[in-house]
């Protein structure tokens, strides 16, 4: 069994960070594995939902969210594209958010289910978080076909180009 709180504590100590760790998922995220809210400086992790998950899966989702913590708290450590993308959230259903002056503003973009799925999965910060999560989970739990399959599930079938993301961000900007 993975000691999630120890991993988070060790991560915060190693990165000189102070964040809140909560198992009480925020409204609208009850079925999510986890999320990091930069506005509240809180890492939410769905311990109830992941209690019965295999260790490699729970570790993957924890390390994914911890990578988001670093992306938001140490953006200068990441590429310009990742830094730019951090202000935008794209959801599978076309719902989008932009972080403006510490507040998330909402709008919608249109597109096919496949397009919106690829847009979400291929977000620069998501690709980075999933790659990091895979590497860390593999280090902690060892290599496995199941871990490979989990990682593959979170890779877009067709990644959008950086230019396409810039166009999406412009569209969101104009609607917010």
């Amino acid at each position: 069994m993975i000691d999630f709180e120890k991993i988070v504590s060790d991560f915060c100590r190693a990165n000189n960070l102070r964040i809140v760790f909560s198992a009480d998922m925020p409204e609208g995220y009850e079925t999510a594995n986890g999320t990091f809210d930069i506005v509240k400086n809180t890492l939410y992790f769905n311990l109830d939902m992941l209690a019965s998950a295999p260790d490699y899966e729970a570790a993957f989702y924890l390390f994914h969210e911890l990578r988001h913590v670093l992306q938001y708290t140490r953006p200068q450590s990441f590429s310009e594209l990742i830094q730019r993308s951090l202000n935008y959230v794209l959801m599978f259903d076309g719902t989008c958010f932009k972080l403006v002056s510490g507040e998330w503003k909402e709008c919608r973009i249109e597109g096919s289910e496949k397009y919106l799925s690829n847009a979400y999965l291929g977000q620069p910060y998501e690709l980075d978080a999933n790659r990091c999560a895979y590497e860390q989970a593999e280090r902690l739990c060892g290599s496995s076909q199941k871990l490979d399959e989990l990682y593959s599930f979170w890779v877009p079938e067709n990644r959008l180009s950086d230019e396409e993301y810039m166009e999406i961000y412009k569209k969101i900007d104009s609607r917010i």
Side-chain angles (χ1 to χ4, degrees):
M1 182 79 183
I2 295 175
D3 186 345
F4 300 109
E5 291 186 32
K6 180 176 181 345
I7 290 172
V8 172
S9 176
D10 291 348
F11 172 86
C12 288
R13 191 173 18 270
N15 291 286
N16 196 29
L17 293 171
R18 294 180 150 253
I19 62 169
V20 176
F21 181 66
S22 176
D24 296 323
M25 297 302 289
E27 186 179 333
Y29 288 84
E30 295 86 0
T31 61
N33 296 305
T35 190
F36 177 64
D37 185 337
I38 184 62
V39 175
K40 295 181 179 176
N41 195 41
T42 300
L43 170 63
Y44 296 96
F45 195 65
N46 201 335
L47 292 173
D48 290 339
M49 194 168 86
L50 291 166
S52 61
D55 282 352
Y56 73 86
E57 184 177 345
F60 180 91
Y61 293 124
L62 179 62
F63 289 123
H64 176 97
E65 295 307 328
L66 288 173
R67 185 61 167 198
H68 286 324
V69 170
L70 272 186
Q71 291 167 338
Y72 279 105
T73 60
R74 305 279 195 281
Q76 68 281 4
S77 301
F78 296 90
S79 72
E80 285 182 40
L81 187 61
I82 289 175
Q83 289 179 48
R84 170 113 164 104
S85 70
L86 288 170
N87 291 317
Y88 300 89
V89 174
L90 310 175
M91 304 301 284
F92 290 103
D93 66 355
T95 303
C96 300
F97 300 90
K98 181 179 181 190
L99 187 59
V100 179
S101 301
E103 186 179 334
W104 290 102
K105 305 285 185 175
E106 183 178 342
C107 71
R108 292 190 58 76
I109 61 170
E110 301 302 318
S112 70
E113 186 177 326
K114 182 175 252 180
Y115 172 80
L116 294 171
S117 177
N118 284 320
Y120 167 75
L121 293 172
Q123 270 271 72
Y125 65 84
E126 290 294 346
L127 288 175
D128 177 70
N130 285 325
R131 180 193 46 75
C132 180
Y134 173 79
E135 292 169 358
Q136 294 297 321
E138 185 178 48
R139 236 179 247 126
L140 182 66
C141 302
S143 298
S144 73
Q145 182 178 347
K146 294 286 191 188
L147 178 58
D148 292 347
E149 290 169 1
L150 178 62
Y151 176 59
S152 292
F153 177 80
W154 293 105
V155 173
E157 192 176 302
N158 296 303
R159 187 184 181 297
L160 278 59
S161 69
D162 296 347
E163 293 76 25
E164 288 174 291
Y165 279 105
M166 291 302 121
E167 288 303 313
I168 290 172
Y169 301 154
K170 284 180 190 175
K171 203 178 285 186
I172 293 169
D173 290 346
S174 72
R175 294 179 182 179
I176 298 255

